[in-house]
Amino acid sequence: MRTVLVLMDTLRRDVLSCYNPVTDVQTPHLDAFAERSCVFDNHWIGSAPCMPARRDILTGRYNFLERPWGPIEPFDVTLPQCLRAQGAFCHITTDHCHYLRTGGEGYLQEFNTWDYHRGQEGDPWVSRIDEPTNMPETFYGRVREQYQKNRQLWPREEDMPSPKTFQSACDWIEDNKGHDDFFLMVEAFDPHEPFDVPDEYMEMYGGDEGLDRDYFEIPLYKRVSDTDVTPEAEAYIQRRYKALVTMTDRWFGKLIDTLEANDMLDDTLVMVTTDHGYFLGERDYMGKNYMHLYNELAHLPFIVHFPGGARAGEHAGQITQAIDIMPTVLEAHGCEVPADVCGVSLMPLATDAEAPTRDYALYGVHAMTVNVTDGELTYFRAPVADNQPCFEYAALPHTIRKKMGSDCPEEIECGRYFARTRYPLFKIPCKKPAQIEGSAPLAEVSETMLFDLATDYGQTVNLAGTGDAREQRMIELLLRGLEEHEAPAEQKERLGLA
C-alpha cells in the first residue's frame, strides 16, 4: 500500500472550485484532482494553529485540550511509528520552518528519512550580520529582516522553498518507483504568509494595482480597523494570497503528474488538506489565532483519492477531522489502530457512501474557547472571565517562542495526570494562551456563540443566550466531547460548565 499526504498550510476552502464554484482563484490541478477524488464537505479543524494541528495528524488525538503548541511527547504513539513497525517506509519533505524551532521537536524524527527546504518566514538561515539590501522603505504590516536575507537566495521560482518541497517529492517518487509500501508526507508552507510570489502570478490577479507602498506580504494579526491598511491595500493582499495559491497549485500538479507518469496514482491513497484557514479582511480581521474559530478558519478542504479511484467525483457529507487521518492510513496499510487513537478510519467510505464517521467535532486553540459542531450548528464556548483554572500538561515543556512555565516555575507541579500513560508530566499554570501576543489575549473570544449553519453559514446571527433550545443540546454535546476525549477535568470549570 502507498499513501501520499499533501498538507498545504493556510489553504482556505473557498478558493477551490470544488467547494466554491464562483471562486476566481485559478487552481486547475487541484480542480482536476478533485474530479477524480472524493471531496469531503464537512471537514473541520481540530487543534490550532500549525504545530497543534500536526500533532493531531500524527497521533490521532486532539492536542488543544491538554497543551498549546509543542513537540511530539515521549509517550505519543505516532502514525509513522506504527507504519514503520509494520515495515512501511516513511518519508517527509517540507519547508515548514516551525519543525526546526522551539516547540517543533520530534516530528521529523518519527520518519525514516526527511528533507527540509530552508528559508521560509523567520527561518534563521542566511547568516549575515549586515542588514539586507532589499528592505523596503515603505510597507504595510510587517517586514522580517531574516526573510529578506533568505529570499535573496532564490532568484527563480523553482528555487523557492515550497516549489523545492514539491520537486523533492517528485524526485523521491522517481527514486523509489516500483515500491508499494510507503507513506510520503509532502508538506508545503505555502500559501502561508509571507505571501511571496513571482510577478507572473500577481499579473493574473491585477498586479500591484492599488498598492501605494513598496511592500505588503505579511499582515499584522489585528483588526483591520486597528491598522493603517487601506481598502486598496486590503484588496492587494487578498490578490497576493490568491496568486500564491495558484503557484502552489502548479507545483502540486507536478506531484500528481509524477505519480501518474510512474503508474502510481490509481492504486495510491492520496489525501490533500490543510491545518487552518486565514482571515484576509473578512469580519475586520487579518491573520488567525486571536479571534473565534469562524468558518473562515475552521471549515477546511479535505480531498481524498481512494485507491482504484473509488468515489471519484463524489462528495462525502460525513463529519471528519485531522485526527481521522492516522486511523485511515493505518487501516489502508493493514496496521492495527492503537487503542488511544480518537480518530475514525475513513476507509469504509471508499466502498460505502453511507458509512458513519462521527456525530460531532471538537476544535479550538488551547486556553481559549472550546468549540463543537454537529454539522448543523456551531457552538463556541467562551471561558469564564479570568480563564481559570487553566493548565498546560507536558513532559517536554516547550512551546512557541518560549519554554513553558518560565514565568511561574515555583507553581509547577509534577505527576501522572493522563490515564493513557504512566509518564510523569509537568502541570504548568497557564496565565494566558501561548499562541497569543498582546495585553488582552482573550478580548475577541469573550462571548459564547451559537450559529445555525443551514440558515447562517456566514455566522452573523448569534443565537446563544436567546432562549434557543438547541443551545442546551450543544452544551451537552460539548460536555460529552470533553469526556470522550479525556480532557483535563478543570476544562469544565474554566468554561463555566462544572
Side-chain angles (χ1 to χ4, degrees), residues 158 297 316 329 442:
E158 54 265 39
L297 294 175
V329 176
L442 295 172

Side-chain angles (χ1 to χ4, degrees), residues 49-196:
C50 300
M51 297 315 298
R54 283 152 183 78
R55 189 160 174 244
D56 281 15
I57 290 171
L58 291 193
T59 66
R61 298 183 62 94
Y62 297 129
N63 175 93
F64 81 98
L65 294 173
E66 302 169 351
R67 64 161 301 155
W69 180 300
I72 288 292
E73 293 283 8
F75 53 84
D76 283 342
V77 178
T78 68
L79 172 57
Q81 182 186 121
C82 294
L83 290 172
R84 292 173 67 181
Q86 294 290 105
F89 195 95
C90 300
H91 177 69
I92 182 173
T93 180
T94 182
D95 60 326
H96 196 280
C97 53
H98 297 304
Y99 283 124
L100 275 296
R101 70 184 296 181
T102 300
E105 301 92 343
Y107 291 82
L108 299 179
Q109 292 76 13
E110 293 294 298
F111 294 78
N112 291 87
T113 53
W114 52 275
D115 284 338
Y116 174 54
H117 309 280
R118 298 203 63 175
Q120 287 282 20
E121 206 178 46
D123 182 13
W125 180 34
V126 174
S127 183
R128 297 196 183 110
I129 298 174
D130 291 337
E131 183 177 293
T133 58
N134 59 349
M135 291 293 286
E137 294 185 8
T138 62
F139 56 89
Y140 289 102
R142 300 174 58 194
V143 180
R144 286 188 173 93
E145 182 177 304
Q146 182 64 60
Y147 186 76
Q148 293 300 103
K149 293 176 182 178
N150 294 346
R151 73 193 303 172
Q152 292 177 311
L153 292 192
W154 48 74
R156 306 171 303 166
E157 179 183 340
E158 54 265 39
D159 299 321
M160 299 175 76
S162 280
K164 287 175 70 175
T165 295
F166 279 111
Q167 184 58 55
S168 76
C170 295
D171 295 342
W172 192 90
I173 290 167
E174 292 284 359
D175 290 342
N176 293 282
K177 58 188 175 185
H179 290 275
D180 61 0
D181 194 8
F182 65 74
F183 172 63
L184 172 62
M185 187 166 173
V186 185
E187 188 183 338
F189 195 61
D190 290 339
H192 192 291
E193 84 272 13
F195 303 132
D196 181 10

Side-chain angles (χ1 to χ4, degrees), residues 24-25 136 138-143 148 151 191 193-219 224 228-245 278-282 286:
D24 65 342
V25 183
T138 62
F139 56 89
Y140 289 102
R142 300 174 58 194
V143 180
Q148 293 300 103
R151 73 193 303 172
E193 84 272 13
F195 303 132
D196 181 10
V197 63
D199 289 343
E200 67 177 279
Y201 295 97
M202 280 301 296
E203 293 304 317
M204 299 169 65
Y205 297 97
D208 292 340
E209 180 185 351
L211 187 69
D212 58 348
R213 301 185 187 180
D214 299 326
Y215 175 99
F216 188 18
E217 293 182 8
I218 309 174
V224 180
D228 60 355
V229 174
T230 65
E232 293 78 15
E234 181 180 315
Y236 171 81
I237 199 67
Q238 292 169 357
R239 297 200 306 275
R240 280 205 84 84
Y241 174 77
K242 294 175 182 179
L244 188 54
V245 170
Y278 197 85
F279 277 104
L280 289 160
E282 302 86 359
M286 284 284 182

